[in-house]
Amino acid sequence: MAVPAAPWLLLPFLLLAPSLAAAAVSEADALIAFKSTLSGAGAGAGASAALANWVPGTSPCSGNRTLWRGVLCDEGGRVLGLQIENMSLSGALTLDPLVDLPALRTLSFKNNSFAGPIPDLAKLGALKMIYLSRNRFSGPIADELFDKMRSLRKVHLSHNAFSGRIPSSVAGLSKLLELGLDDNAFEGAIPDLEQKGLTFVNLSHNQLEGPIPKGLSRFNASMFEGNKNLCGPPLDVSCDITQSQSPRSPAKKKISPTLLVVIIVIGILALLSIVGLFVFILVSRRRRQLDEANLVHLQSAETKKFDAPEADKLDRGQQSTAGVLRRRPIRKIMESCHLSGRGARALRLRICLGLQLKFSGVEISGLPTRPPCSMARR
């Protein structure tokens, strides 16, 4: 015969029932609010059709059994995760309503059409797994996004349009097991991932550059293909060759201010040297021309320097001796002047013969115009 249970033994269950029901209603309300953001973001009837059994007033979980599509439940009947995949949902992804799900550990929105920047995952600091692959997310990811998400084990963001650098906060995820960032537009160096428990990494088909961290060299080379400027193991590309052939971005090789000043000063000095050399050549050429002009002037002045009485004598005697000069050959005239030696010949010709000797209609320039030696001695 069964012994009826004492009423007081049922009292704890009766007291906990309202709180459990309230918790279930609270989580259901949070999910309904989240569904409304999908519709308001442009998903429209698609969200309503895909999540048709998300009905207000009902519970998403019954123990660990799921009652709503895409909801994962734990043993206590709380929402453990959302697996909203392959539902053709679109628009921006807002996670604010999900803050009211304290047991939430997994988010998966793979293979939809969500767009815009990556949602603020830091609001859900207890997450362990994130799957946003094969959507239309774009833009850079904040470097500190994962700073407060120390429980993360799996991060999959592949097949989107994320750009910029891989967040360095990924390196601080000590429990990280999987990282999928392939088929995006990430650039720059790979963070130094040293997690010993890391079992999967895919960084292929991005715009990454530089050496692959040693902690990742154990993975297959296919996990890094499609990045033109990556080097080092497991790739068969030497970092020395890659760095010499690949153009570096200006941000990576900045010219120091001191070096810039030195380059400018050297350039100015070189320019001044060229200008100085040009001026020196012009001045030297001008001076040479002036010297030549002065020399010609002096020679001309010297040839015209005569005493007036001597010039008068030459004028009077020149007419009387002109005929004799025409008849006498030059050789006889030079012999009559007793010329010998090159220097003496020049001097005596200048004194005896004058500036010009005219005979037989021939002029000899450069000689002084004086009568023959006999007349010069008088």
Side-chain angles (χ1 to χ4, degrees), residues 30 40 59 79 81 87 96 121 129 157 160 180 197 204 244 247 270 289 304 307 312 319 335 367:
S59 178
V79 176
M87 295 186 183
D96 292 347
L121 300 171
M129 291 175 279
L157 308 177
N160 282 284
S204 61
S244 64
Q289 292 174 350
K304 294 180 179 179
D307 293 333
D312 292 340
Q319 292 179 359
E335 290 176 356
L367 299 176

Side-chain angles (χ1 to χ4, degrees), residues 237-254:
V237 179
S238 172
C239 287
D240 294 335
I241 297 176
T242 303
Q243 292 173 0
S244 64
Q245 293 180 349
S246 303
R248 300 283 101 183
S249 62
K252 296 223 176 350
K253 285 191 176 181
K254 293 183 179 179

Side-chain angles (χ1 to χ4, degrees), residues 127-140:
L127 286 177
K128 293 183 178 181
M129 291 175 279
I130 299 172
Y131 299 89
L132 300 179
S133 302
R134 297 187 182 277
N135 280 279
R136 299 177 182 175
F137 294 110
S138 61

